[in-house]
Amino acid sequence: MTNRINGILLVVPILLVLISQAVAQNSATLSPFDGRSWGVVLEHPDTKNVIVNKDVTYLRDEKGTLSIDIYSPPNLKIGERRPAIIFLNGIGEQPGQIKVKDWEIYSTWPKLMAAHGFIGISMESDRGRIQENFQSLFNFLRDKGDKYNVNADELGVYAASANVSESSTYLMKEDAFPGIKAAVLYYGGTPPGPYRKNLPVFFVVAEGDVSRSGYNTLWNEVLKNNAPWTVKMGTGLPHAFDAFDDTEISRKVVNETISFWKNQLEELPNPSWPHSIPREALAAQYWRDDAKVILLLKKWTDETPNDVEGLFQYASALKNAKRYEESQIAYKRLLKLEPDHVHALTYLYLILNILDRPKEAQAFLAKAEKTGRIDKFIYLGMANTMYAASKYKEGVRFFEKVIEVDPTGLNLYNLACGYSKLGENDKAFENLNKAVSKGFTSKQQFETDADLKSLKSDSRWKLLLENLK
């Protein structure tokens, strides 16, 4: 049985279907075939000690009165505040039926959370003003939560099945209550985007819903919004598994859900180690945040001016950001500490060439070659850098060095491209033919490479293409 709310295909839970089939005054008189009679499938020994404060009014106006049930861990100290888990009612109450907060699932879940040290809260709501009810409840917790040991700055929420639609509509608003720090959404439809980047969500898909509810766009929305979602595939689980599926698989998912809330809401211990600028700089490098990397490394090199590796990282970060004048100064500082640093010498050669100071550059290359530590990878990097700077003569020089030790088809091809750019067609064709003999035979690459443009009017070009795939 399905329903569409706001264009989203939702599974109407068995819990709701059974409401229309059974009329009862309270949960104690419900038939075991009524879905509302079953609670969460995971136990905790401390649930027997949980304190329940029922029917606390959170909203009273001309339209009526709405209340919550508050489940608290035993032995709370006066003034102590705990994170709270709110079980959202996004469907509202039905006349003549027991309140949603009195269903077994919505009384045992908050009791279980209280046994784990949280405040558990279940709610009633007016189906004609769900969004308003949500906001009223969170405002109540903000204003009066202290009285009930609730830390309104650290709240988790749960919504399942048909409750997910209205709940996710509220949660994805940028002006949703700021104290909500973690949301659990069980076996509901895919919420429409955009998803917030500042709200961690644990979204559980039941295998039994997959054929009826389209989840094809869910992960795309997560990636598109860079949203901090954990999507759990409930393999082997039916809809409403946390109430009906009395198996270890269900209990593990419920336990995983509790761990999610704990991880998001409980304060972690501070690390024993001090803050590290190099570590922060490494993180910034992996973010590709060059500006932050440079600021951090400048601070580090100012504080530890004799750290060769720190200076090298700083100079290289400036180079990568194309701040060449500053970079060459930093590399020269490094060479005062380690005159034979081969990478600093070769990078200085490259930078000074880019700055059109070739004579000064040549002196650093000579020093680098005297060290005997320039390998093919350094030469390859230098060749590519010179090509990128349109300094093909220098690039060819270094590709020739690479070819001496590593005459692969790709390296020979790149060398030929340099000769083509220099107008030395004989050498270009010579190396292209060598590249082909080494297995570099992509006809498309040859035909589309702009670096080979000067060769295409040569009679040898047609003969070369005949040997390509």
Side-chain angles (χ1 to χ4, degrees):
M1 186 173 181
T2 59
N3 184 31
R4 287 189 180 272
I5 300 177
N6 296 330
I8 305 168
L9 184 65
L10 297 179
V11 176
V12 176
I14 297 171
L15 292 172
L16 296 182
V17 174
L18 291 175
I19 287 175
S20 63
Q21 300 172 349
V23 176
Q25 296 301 312
N26 56 68
S27 60
T29 61
L30 292 176
S31 163
F33 291 100
D34 188 316
R36 297 170 296 176
S37 68
W38 293 103
V40 67
V41 296
L42 186 67
E43 290 183 307
H44 190 287
D46 291 340
T47 54
K48 62 182 180 294
N49 300 318
V50 168
I51 299 167
V52 185
N53 192 348
K54 288 189 67 67
D55 298 321
V56 176
T57 299
Y58 76 87
L59 175 63
R60 178 181 285 115
D61 60 16
E62 68 282 357
K63 296 181 180 179
T65 299
L66 297 171
S67 66
I68 55 176
D69 293 343
I70 302 174
Y71 297 75
S72 304
N75 304 319
L76 281 175
K77 299 176 182 177
I78 296 175
E80 182 181 3
R81 300 198 310 159
R82 297 281 183 92
I85 308 298
I86 297 95
F87 292 82
L88 296 174
N89 179 350
I91 57 175
E93 311 303 333
Q94 288 200 355
Q97 299 295 329
I98 65 172
K99 295 176 180 179
V100 172
K101 68 183 180 68
D102 293 326
W103 297 4
E104 278 298 299
I105 191 67
Y106 290 118
S107 60
T108 55
W109 247 122
K111 185 179 291 186
L112 178 64
M113 296 316 301
H116 279 275
F118 294 88
I119 307 295
I121 298 173
S122 56
M123 66 180 293
E124 59 179 316
S125 62
D126 181 344
R127 64 190 310 162
R129 48 177 180 155
I130 299 295
Q131 297 295 309
E132 179 186 337
N133 293 168
F134 288 160
Q135 192 59 53
S136 296
L137 173 56
F138 291 118
N139 289 344
F140 172 82
L141 295 176
R142 177 196 63 203
D143 298 336
K144 299 184 179 180
D146 286 355
K147 179 180 177 181
Y148 303 99
N149 303 97
V150 173
N151 181 356
D153 295 323
E154 296 292 339
L155 302 177
V157 298
Y158 166 104
S161 193
N163 294 290
V164 169
S165 180
E166 289 282 358
S167 298
S168 61
T169 296
Y170 178 82
L171 294 170
M172 294 307 133
K173 294 177 181 177
E174 287 299 329
D175 60 350
F177 188 71
I180 303 171
K181 300 298 173 60
V184 169
L185 303 177
Y186 267 19
Y187 43 80
T190 301
Y195 299 164
R196 289 165 50 194
K197 286 186 69 174
N198 58 349
L199 179 64
V201 173
F202 185 62
F203 191 97
V204 180
V205 176
E207 183 181 347
D209 291 339
V210 171
S211 62
R212 296 173 293 177
S213 297
Y215 293 107
N216 296 335
T217 64
L218 176 61
W219 192 244
N220 288 336
E221 285 295 325
V222 171
L223 294 176
K224 182 169 70 176
N225 294 282
N226 294 310
W229 283 44
T230 301
V231 178
K232 172 76 175 181
M233 180 63 219
T235 303
L237 296 179
H239 191 80
F241 63 83
D242 53 332
F244 302 151
D245 189 62
D246 191 12
T247 67
E248 184 174 332
I249 300 174
S250 289
R251 281 185 272 279
K252 284 183 176 181
V253 175
V254 171
N255 198 53
E256 191 175 347
T257 302
I258 296 170
S259 297
F260 170 78
W261 276 320
K262 285 177 174 288
N263 189 50
Q264 298 299 330
L265 299 175
E266 291 183 346
E267 186 174 351
L268 294 172
N270 290 324
S272 59
W273 54 82
H275 171 259
S276 167
I277 291 177
R279 191 178 200 175
E280 188 178 359
L282 285 169
Q285 285 177 353
Y286 279 92
W287 269 113
R288 297 178 177 85
D289 187 344
D290 291 340
K292 185 175 181 180
V293 170
I294 289 169
L295 285 174
L296 289 168
L297 292 175
K298 183 180 187 310
K299 178 177 173 61
W300 177 259
T301 54
D302 288 345
E303 293 175 356
T304 56
N306 294 325
D307 180 2
V308 171
E309 184 59 26
L311 270 170
F312 178 72
Q313 294 295 330
Y314 177 49
S316 298
L318 290 166
K319 171 181 67 68
N320 294 339
K322 298 184 179 181
R323 291 165 58 172
Y324 297 125
E325 285 288 359
E326 297 167 88
S327 178
Q328 61 97 14
I329 292 171
Y331 280 127
K332 287 176 180 177
R333 279 178 58 194
L334 185 161
L335 290 175
K336 289 181 180 178
L337 299 172
E338 189 176 316
D340 291 336
H341 195 292
V342 68
H343 287 97
L345 291 167
T346 53
Y347 285 154
L348 267 169
Y349 167 82
L350 296 172
I351 289 170
L352 292 170
N353 264 293
I354 291 169
L355 293 173
D356 291 322
R357 291 152 61 179
K359 289 184 179 180
E360 185 181 352
Q362 192 58 42
F364 289 103
L365 178 60
K367 289 180 182 178
E369 290 180 327
K370 279 185 179 179
T371 67
R373 298 201 302 273
I374 301 183
D375 58 24
K376 69 175 182 180
F377 299 106
I378 294 177
Y379 278 127
L380 186 59
M382 294 171 74
N384 286 320
T385 300
M386 290 293 96
Y387 273 22
S390 299
K391 296 182 179 295
Y392 297 103
K393 184 176 180 180
E394 291 81 2
V396 162
R397 172 185 177 186
F398 296 125
F399 265 120
E400 290 282 12
K401 295 278 190 181
V402 174
I403 294 300
E404 290 177 6
V405 294
D406 191 20
T408 65
L410 176 60
N411 289 333
L412 287 160
Y413 176 85
N414 285 326
L415 175 59
C417 288
Y419 278 124
S420 175
K421 295 295 288 187
L422 293 173
E424 297 188 37
N425 290 5
D426 291 346
K427 290 185 177 180
F429 277 109
E430 176 187 349
N431 285 284
L432 285 177
N433 283 310
K434 289 180 180 178
V436 171
S437 69
K438 292 284 187 176
F440 195 87
T441 57
S442 170
K443 188 173 184 179
Q444 182 181 16
Q445 175 67 35
F446 278 68
E447 289 182 323
T448 59
D449 195 332
D451 288 347
L452 301 179
K453 183 178 179 180
S454 67
L455 307 181
K456 294 181 180 180
S457 59
D458 193 299
S459 60
R460 289 171 287 183
W461 179 254
K462 184 177 180 180
L463 294 174
L464 177 65
L465 292 185
E466 291 175 357
N467 294 322
L468 304 179
K469 297 178 182 178

